[in-house]
Amino acid sequence: MPRPLRVGVQLPEVERIVRWPEYEAMARAAEEVGFDSIWIGDHLLYREDGRPERGPWDAWTVMAALAGVTERVVIGPLVACLGFHPPGLVARMAAAIDEISGGRFVLGVGSGWNEPEFRAFGLPFDHRASRFLESFEIIRRLLAGERVTSAGRFWQVEDAVLLPPPARVTPIMLGTSGPRQLAATLPYADSWNTWWDAYGNTAGGFAVRNAEISAIAESAGRDPGEVERSACVLVSFDPSAAERPRDDDAPPLTGSPDHMARALRDLAEAGAHEAILVLDPISETTVRQSGEVLAALDA
């Protein structure tokens, strides 16, 4: 039976300190057990009351390295914060990783939400929606092969062009939920992604959010059927070893591989084309355990 949806996995972010050899091992394991994609969070720093400071490795550097040690899986940021870099540089980095990976890169984009990391690295946190929209317009036009001149309020480029010319147009996935941003960007995006706690981590919750996205796309003049839907799914193989804070309104998916596979099928029936598993805990062991879920999903 064909797999009802693509399934990816998010590699560690700030659950603990992870060195490169473990990232590489998890990426190779993900390919071996049948995942379709691997994803990297894009953050600079977490500062929260009652918890130690945490920060992941630079997402773009890690993704480029993963592109060089994998052969089949799609690679992408979940999602790239457009406030961290000038848009022209984001487009160039995306095109380079797509080249290194042989056309296996998806550019997930968002506007960011974690004010302390912006402040710590001297980045503006105001007008995030407006900054995001100006950046998105420049990025998507550059990736489409255009020469771009734009004199926006926040971002300016003059006769910018991507050289060497990319071999293809890098797909763009939206990781934003703001109605204004969605209305402006859904006409140009290839897919849309939502985090697990935004829809309650259930197929029913996703169906509601999915319908909202379809309505916004239709109002913006885009055929909703042209925009693929992607859902992050919190999965727990061992609740006693949880590394992430729990949300009672969005409990993790647990149970046997068959049970998890049924839940993923329900998600597909609710409109998802892709599920990105957020494993808790996340390790090479749980990545390989997920292979049993993928096998049940394929059965």
Side-chain angles (χ1 to χ4, degrees), residues 33 237 256-258 261 287-298:
V33 303
F237 286 105
S256 69
D258 285 340
V287 169
R288 293 191 179 279
Q289 280 182 280
S290 301
E292 299 178 19
V293 180
L294 299 179
L297 190 63
D298 292 338

Side-chain angles (χ1 to χ4, degrees), residues 8-299:
V9 62
Q10 185 192 39
L11 298 189
E13 188 181 68
V14 292
E15 294 87 347
R16 64 187 186 285
I17 295 176
V18 177
R19 301 294 176 182
W20 167 247
E22 187 177 358
Y23 274 108
E24 181 179 6
M26 280 188 276
R28 293 185 185 277
E31 282 203 317
E32 289 173 15
V33 303
F35 276 107
D36 299 299
S37 57
I38 54 178
W39 301 84
I40 297 293
D42 183 25
H43 280 283
L44 308 177
L45 181 70
Y46 281 91
R47 282 178 175 150
E48 302 165 279
D49 291 341
R51 302 192 70 183
E53 286 186 321
R54 299 164 295 149
W57 298 109
D58 175 69
W60 292 94
T61 308
V62 171
M63 289 188 295
L66 290 171
V69 300
T70 56
E71 298 178 355
R72 180 185 56 76
V73 289
V74 168
I75 298 165
L78 195 64
V79 288
C81 176
L82 298 192
F84 290 168
H85 303 281
L89 298 188
V90 172
R92 280 183 53 82
M93 292 187 292
I97 297 178
D98 196 60
E99 174 72 15
I100 294 168
S101 67
R104 293 184 287 122
F105 185 71
V106 170
L107 176 58
V109 296
S111 56
W113 57 268
N114 182 23
E115 184 174 1
E117 64 185 339
F118 282 79
R119 188 167 57 250
F121 284 86
L123 301 170
F125 190 70
D126 62 324
H127 303 289
R128 282 180 298 137
S130 296
R131 293 178 189 276
F132 172 83
L133 292 175
E134 286 189 12
S135 183
F136 180 90
E137 179 70 6
I138 293 168
I139 291 166
R140 69 101 181 163
R141 290 177 61 193
L142 285 171
L143 292 176
E146 297 182 32
R147 286 183 175 269
V148 182
T149 295
S150 178
R153 177 182 176 187
F154 302 105
W155 298 112
Q156 302 83 37
V157 292
E158 183 176 349
D159 197 25
V161 63
L162 295 186
L163 295 174
R168 66 160 193 160
V169 177
T170 301
I172 297 177
M173 180 179 77
L174 298 174
T176 183
S177 59
R180 176 186 166 201
Q181 290 125 297
L182 288 169
T185 56
L186 277 172
Y188 307 103
D190 298 277
S191 59
W192 165 83
N193 171 266
T194 183
W195 194 241
W196 53 271
D197 62 359
Y199 69 95
N201 212 41
T202 66
F206 180 80
V208 172
R209 192 71 184 105
N210 188 41
E212 294 170 354
I213 296 301
S214 292
I216 295 172
E218 192 167 10
S219 296
R222 179 74 181 276
D223 178 356
E226 294 177 352
V227 182
E228 291 201 343
R229 315 302 164 90
S230 170
C232 294
V233 181
L234 180 63
V235 174
S236 177
F237 286 105
D238 183 3
S240 68
E243 295 175 319
R244 288 179 172 270
R246 285 291 181 255
D247 183 343
D248 293 338
D249 294 326
L253 175 60
T254 61
S256 69
D258 285 340
H259 173 77
M260 292 185 183
R262 283 195 298 271
L264 293 178
R265 289 193 188 96
D266 290 343
L267 193 64
E269 291 179 5
H273 300 88
E274 174 182 56
I276 300 174
L277 305 189
V278 181
L279 303 178
D280 188 22
I282 171 66
S283 65
E284 182 182 350
T285 297
T286 57
V287 169
R288 293 191 179 279
Q289 280 182 280
S290 301
E292 299 178 19
V293 180
L294 299 179
L297 190 63
D298 292 338

